[in-house]
Amino acid sequence: MRAIALLLSCCAVMLAACQHSRAAEPAVLSNVEPGVRQQLNDFIVSIVGGTSVTLADDVLMHSTELFIEQRMPVDSQGRPLDGRHSLPSYRFVLVRVGDSCILQHPGSGKSVRLNGARCQLAPR
C-alpha cells in the first residue's frame, strides 16, 4: 500500500513539473530589427569565428533553420585553393520558449535569447 501511495505522489510531482516547463517550439521571426540582426551576427560569429557574417534581409523569417557555410580557403590573391570544399555548414535553429525567441546552435549546445525579437510558431 505504501508503494502505491509513493508511486502516486511521484506521478503527481512529475505531472506538476511537466505543466510548468515550457517546450522549445520551432519558430520564425516576425520581423528583423537592426538590434536583432546585430545579436544574430554576434552569436553566429562567436560560433563560426571571424568578424561578421552576411545575413539576408529576411533571415529566419521563412525558415526555422539557418545554415552558414564555412569560408573556402583562399591564396594570397583571394583565389580559392581548391575548386570546391567539403567543409560542413554550421546549422542554427530558431525556437520559441514562452514569449522568448532563442537561437540555438545544436552542434555546440549553445544558445542565445534574442532581446527585443518577435517570433511566431513555424507553420507546420
Side-chain angles (χ1 to χ4, degrees):
M1 193 63 160
R2 291 178 94 189
I4 293 174
L6 180 60
L7 180 63
L8 288 175
S9 63
C10 287
C11 288
V13 169
M14 290 174 59
L15 181 60
C18 288
Q19 290 176 346
H20 289 292
S21 67
R22 293 184 172 154
E25 300 180 82
V28 292
L29 289 174
S30 300
N31 61 6
V32 184
E33 301 291 331
V36 172
R37 179 179 295 285
Q38 187 61 51
Q39 291 175 70
L40 290 170
N41 185 70
D42 293 346
F43 180 66
I44 292 168
V45 166
S46 75
I47 301 294
V48 304
T51 56
S52 69
V53 293
T54 301
L55 299 173
D57 292 338
D58 61 351
V59 64
L60 293 169
M61 290 182 68
H62 305 289
S63 175
T64 63
E65 296 179 314
L66 172 65
F67 292 90
I68 303 292
E69 290 186 4
Q70 294 190 35
R71 292 182 192 252
M72 182 178 284
V74 294
D75 65 14
S76 61
Q77 295 178 338
R79 295 180 299 217
L81 291 177
D82 294 319
R84 66 168 61 176
H85 68 81
S86 59
L87 302 172
S89 299
Y90 292 95
R91 178 177 168 256
F92 297 87
V93 180
L94 184 69
V95 296
R96 189 172 91 173
V97 178
D99 291 332
S100 298
C101 304
I102 299 172
L103 186 63
Q104 301 175 331
H105 179 246
S108 68
K110 295 181 180 180
S111 63
V112 65
R113 180 180 180 272
L114 301 172
N115 297 315
R118 287 182 288 149
C119 60
Q120 58 195 17
L121 295 180
R124 297 187 188 235

